Amino acid sequence: MLTVLVAGICFFTGHTPVSAQKIELGAGLGGLNYKGDISPSVRLRFFRPGGSLFFRYNPSQALSLRAEIMGGLITASDEHSKDPFQQARNMSFRSRVFEGSTVAEYNFLNYEDRRFAFNWTPYVFGGIGLMKFSPSPQTASYKTSSLVLPYGVGIKYQVKRPWNIGLELGARKTFSDYLDNLGGEPVNNDKLQQGDPSLKDSYLFLRLSVSYTFYKIVCP
């Protein structure tokens, strides 16, 4: 596994140790929050844990490219709503979410590669990915995967070379209406158990991350 990882890093750096500083590996911990039929707006009580691992490639000071895998939980319940319809429906769900994505980050400030530089920058990001979910309960047969469009904002700071920390808030637009087991297509004749077909489900991922920049990589 280590050999494969080093070989992959060498490939992205053009097989030369000179550009090794463009490579970062990192991990993040934070929370996921669902938005859909059961929770039309973001509510703090529905935040659930999530984590990720990512690979970042920095071709320039202004641009970063990132591949990331993420997993966590989403949940919501009608019992906390003030809407009489939702109170009568009284539905809830819990789902595991797994996501793989690639995004581009635009850094507003130059993230300089100098030993004593004060390195920090806010950034925006956007990209594409694929997510899979497993709602509980699942009362009908439907597709449990979807294309996802991640986008958002963040800030990163080089604490001490080669370590970096970051804070990021990202939204995930999905093309599924079944994350909460309430799809746009009715699964039965009970209107209390039917979702709004005009709205697709989505979720947020708020995370704090730590990454390590490789400044020396020996390629075979």
Side-chain angles (χ1 to χ4, degrees):
M1 289 293 290
L2 182 60
T3 303
V4 173
L5 177 61
V6 172
I9 293 173
C10 290
F11 174 80
F12 276 103
T13 58
H15 307 279
T16 62
V18 176
S19 53
Q21 69 273 6
K22 296 183 178 181
I23 296 293
E24 287 180 54
L25 292 179
L29 287 176
L32 292 165
N33 197 292
Y34 146 91
K35 182 179 177 183
D37 291 305
I38 297 180
S39 181
S41 59
V42 175
R43 303 190 65 179
L44 293 179
R45 69 164 60 242
F46 295 141
F47 265 103
R48 292 296 183 272
S52 69
L53 297 173
F54 63 87
F55 166 90
R56 181 184 278 136
Y57 177 61
N58 304 298
S60 70
Q61 293 177 349
L63 178 67
S64 298
L65 304 176
R66 188 177 81 215
E68 186 166 16
I69 54 173
M70 181 269 289
L73 298 172
I74 56 173
T75 188
S77 175
D78 279 332
E79 70 173 324
H80 300 292
S81 174
K82 296 180 180 179
D83 187 328
F85 175 82
Q86 288 189 244
Q87 292 175 353
R89 183 173 61 189
N90 194 32
M91 294 190 69
S92 63
F93 84 99
R94 176 186 175 93
S95 181
R96 292 188 299 272
V97 174
F98 297 97
E99 174 195 295
S101 65
T102 56
V103 303
E105 302 173 358
Y106 176 77
N107 304 318
F108 288 101
L109 302 177
N110 287 333
Y111 209 62
E112 302 176 69
D113 180 42
R114 290 189 293 110
R115 183 177 296 274
F116 301 108
F118 183 65
N119 276 341
W120 76 280
T121 182
Y123 64 90
V124 295
F125 71 91
I128 191 169
L130 183 67
M131 61 89 68
K132 186 171 178 59
F133 59 98
S134 53
S136 178
Q138 183 175 352
T139 56
S141 178
Y142 46 77
K143 189 176 181 181
T144 56
S145 61
S146 171
L147 188 70
V148 62
L149 300 179
Y151 60 93
V153 297
I155 185 169
K156 51 190 174 182
Y157 170 64
Q158 188 178 68
V159 183
K160 184 177 181 181
R161 187 178 178 180
W163 294 99
N164 313 274
I165 60 172
L167 180 65
E168 181 177 288
L169 175 63
R172 267 64 173 176
K173 174 180 172 55
T174 78
F175 295 87
S176 173
D177 196 24
Y178 292 98
L179 269 65
D180 49 18
N181 193 45
L182 279 173
E185 296 295 329
V187 296
N188 55 48
N189 294 323
D190 186 351
K191 291 187 177 180
L192 288 179
Q193 296 186 31
Q194 296 176 13
D196 184 348
S198 65
L199 297 175
K200 299 298 183 184
D201 297 331
S202 61
Y203 55 97
L204 301 176
F205 183 35
L206 174 66
R207 68 157 167 81
L208 179 67
S209 67
V210 177
S211 64
Y212 181 93
T213 304
F214 288 84
Y215 287 95
K216 184 177 181 181
I217 299 175
V218 179
C219 297

